[in-house]
Amino acid sequence: MGTRPIPGVRRVVLVGLMASGKSTVGRLVGAALRYQFFDTDALVEAAAGAPVADFFEAEGEAAFRDAETAVLQALLPYKSVVVATGGGA
């Protein structure tokens, strides 16, 4: 992988099991491509004002999945990004 954006690649989305390294790898890939990096769990936490675990426990899985979906939809217009999704995305 070079240090310049890859022609035609507008988004890199990482999916995988919880704690599998998506955020760590996403930051590295984003830096290598010079793409902006987003972590959906961090964005959900910022919107909720609470850690994912607390939000999940207080509001339930359905509310968390709705929040996660809203974050992913908000990222759709972005190009030249790397997105690390939550383990259940």
Side-chain angles (χ1 to χ4, degrees):
M1 189 175 348
T3 59
R4 296 182 343 173
I6 300 169
V9 175
R10 300 187 313 186
R11 290 178 203 90
V12 176
V13 180
L14 302 171
V15 296
L17 297 173
M18 182 174 63
S20 63
K22 297 178 299 291
S23 296
T24 300
V25 170
R27 282 185 194 90
L28 294 170
V29 171
L33 293 175
R34 297 182 185 167
Y35 282 9
Q36 190 170 2
F37 170 71
F38 293 102
D39 181 316
T40 60
D41 281 348
L43 294 172
V44 168
E45 287 180 343
V52 166
D54 293 349
F55 179 77
F56 198 95
E57 184 177 327
E59 303 296 327
E61 182 176 359
F64 174 75
R65 297 295 172 215
D66 288 345
E68 187 175 52
T69 298
V71 164
L72 288 167
Q73 288 174 333
L75 293 175
L76 284 174
Y78 287 77
K79 296 179 181 163
S80 301
V81 295
V82 176
V83 178
T85 63

